[in-house]
């Protein structure tokens, strides 16, 4: 794969035209897009010629201001979302579970993909019944070209970039079944964004730091170097015997501090704000939760 022609991309609706969707790069290289938009600040974007982060094109010379931020990828682009469970050492200890020998895979459907704030993140009726909504702050990897039977040594050649994700979970459904796809695959249960950061800017993702904040309180705080299975290992593992198309979204696991593991238990409720912060470069994914009616 050729070097990316971008450092950070956003997909957004501009203030100049509420019916348009554009791709572009923030003019200020150090702006935390998610926080800035949440605070009502203007975020200027250099518009690119492409209509997808998978083929972003080049800068057109035009500049637009974000009105509404969208997930970097669309539901049609991600296909089946691959998810790795129990992939942080501290989280395994928190869950009182043994370190796995091989990655634990579960899947989310494309219909679970969702936008950052201001789009509401919906808590399904089934989750509201016994107040079991939970958060999982995660680093997400986006593939830029089709991968199959990839070696660990070559795995990073297939990476387009990184973004933030919240693997929203319904714990009662999760613990009542041996498979996690149902409990983690509800509509809107995989918000991502707001930026897609080129792998050229983040050459060693293990040096990133991830935090999860509920209503401003830090509940998760961990270095990506606590991963049990590295990103090259995950990509190689998932590609064995399996075609991973360009646009495949891989979420890599959550660190310690999830709500169900805390005493007293912490849950997500109507009106709660949860922020997934990954620094440097990626910034903050902000979501505000709303009960399904």
């Amino acid at each position: 794969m050729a070097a990316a022609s971008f450092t950070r991309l956003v997909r957004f609706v501009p203030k100049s035209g509420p019916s348009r969707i554009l791709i572009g790069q923030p003019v200020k290289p150090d702006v935390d897009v998610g926080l800035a938009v949440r605070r009502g600040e203007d975020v200027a974007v250099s518009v690119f010629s492409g209509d997808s982060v998978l083929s972003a094109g080049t800068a057109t010379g035009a500049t637009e201001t974000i009105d509404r931020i969208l997930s970097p990828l669309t539901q049609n682009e991600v296909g089946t979302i691959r998810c790795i469970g129990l992939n942080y050492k501290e989280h395994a200890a928190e869950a009182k579970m043994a370190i796995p020998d091989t990655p634990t895979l579960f899947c989310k459907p494309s219909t679970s993909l969702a936008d950052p704030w201001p789009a509401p993140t919906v808590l399904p009726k089934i989750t509201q019944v016994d107040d079991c909504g939970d958060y999982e702050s995660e680093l997400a990897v986006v593939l830029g070209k089709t991968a199959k039977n990839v070696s660990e040594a070559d795995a990073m050649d297939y990476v387009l970039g990184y973004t933030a994700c919240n693997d929203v979970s319904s714990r009662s459904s999760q613990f009542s079944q041996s498979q996690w796809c149902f409990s983690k695959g509800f509509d809107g249960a995989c918000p991502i964004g707001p930026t897609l950061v080129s792998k050229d800017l983040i050459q060693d993702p293990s040096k990133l730091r991830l935090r999860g904040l509920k209503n401003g309180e830090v509940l998760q705080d961990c270095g990506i170097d606590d991963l049990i299975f590295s990103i090259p290992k995950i990509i190689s593992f998932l590609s064995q015997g399996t075609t991973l198309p360009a646009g495949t979204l891989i979420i890599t696991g959550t660190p310690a501090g999830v709500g169900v593991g805390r005493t007293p238990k912490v849950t997500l409720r109507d009106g709660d704000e949860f922020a997934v912060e990954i620094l440097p470069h990626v910034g903050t994914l902000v979501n505000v939760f709303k009960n399904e009616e």
Side-chain angles (χ1 to χ4, degrees):
M1 182 188 300
S5 60
F6 67 92
T7 53
R8 297 195 302 160
L9 289 177
V10 290
R11 194 171 70 95
F12 68 104
V13 174
K15 286 188 174 181
S16 65
S19 63
R20 295 192 296 158
I21 295 176
L22 300 176
I23 303 291
Q25 182 159 282
V27 171
K28 293 183 178 179
D30 57 349
V31 64
D32 187 323
V33 175
L35 284 184
V37 170
R38 178 64 170 145
R39 292 168 178 164
E41 301 170 7
D42 284 345
V43 177
V45 177
S46 172
V47 178
F48 276 42
S49 58
D51 59 3
S52 167
V53 296
L54 300 178
S55 55
T58 56
T60 63
T63 301
E64 295 279 0
T65 302
I66 294 175
D67 179 48
R68 182 161 53 92
I69 196 74
L70 305 174
S71 61
L73 294 158
T74 68
Q75 290 185 356
N76 289 337
E77 288 173 327
V78 298
T80 301
I81 300 167
R82 271 72 171 188
C83 316
I84 304 299
L86 203 68
N87 196 29
Y88 279 80
K89 301 179 188 74
E90 291 182 2
H91 181 47
E94 166 187 66
K96 297 180 174 59
M97 298 179 71
I99 299 293
D101 295 324
T102 58
T104 300
L105 169 67
F106 64 95
C107 296
K108 286 177 177 266
S110 61
T111 47
S112 68
L113 189 75
D115 296 329
W117 184 89
T121 303
V122 175
L123 288 170
K125 293 178 182 179
I126 189 174
T127 307
Q128 299 171 42
V129 169
D130 58 356
D131 185 26
C132 68
D134 206 348
Y135 54 85
E136 293 193 5
S137 306
E138 309 208 11
L139 175 69
V141 180
V142 177
L143 300 189
K145 63 179 181 179
T146 299
K148 184 176 182 180
N149 294 331
V150 172
S151 69
E152 286 186 51
D154 294 336
M156 298 304 290
D157 293 340
Y158 294 82
V159 173
L160 178 64
Y162 305 94
T163 190
C165 173
N166 192 340
D167 175 21
V168 182
S169 304
S170 182
R171 296 303 189 191
S172 294
S173 295
Q174 181 181 358
F175 297 148
S176 69
Q177 301 172 341
S178 62
Q179 303 294 318
W180 300 343
C181 298
F182 177 73
S183 61
K184 290 169 170 280
F186 299 136
D187 290 355
C190 191
I192 66 169
T195 58
L196 175 69
V197 181
S198 167
K199 69 170 183 180
D200 296 334
L201 190 60
I202 301 176
Q203 296 190 7
D204 184 359
S206 70
K207 294 182 179 179
L208 296 171
R209 191 159 193 92
L210 183 154
R211 297 200 307 167
L213 303 89
K214 179 189 172 189
N215 300 328
E217 179 184 2
V218 177
L219 299 180
Q220 295 182 285
D221 188 352
C222 188
I224 303 298
D225 57 359
D226 192 53
L227 281 177
I228 296 169
F229 301 106
S230 68
I231 289 171
K233 173 67 176 179
I234 292 168
I235 295 170
S236 177
F237 173 80
L238 295 177
S239 74
Q240 298 308 305
T242 303
T243 299
L244 304 175
T248 293
L249 179 68
I250 301 169
I251 62 175
T252 57
T254 197
V258 295
V260 74
R262 304 183 75 89
T263 304
K265 180 179 69 173
V266 175
T267 59
L268 295 171
R269 298 176 180 174
D270 186 76
D272 282 339
E273 176 180 295
F274 198 88
V276 178
E277 174 197 88
I278 303 178
L279 298 177
H281 307 308
V282 178
T284 306
L285 167 66
V286 179
N287 291 104
V288 176
F289 287 82
K290 180 179 180 182
N291 282 344
E292 180 182 30
E293 298 177 354

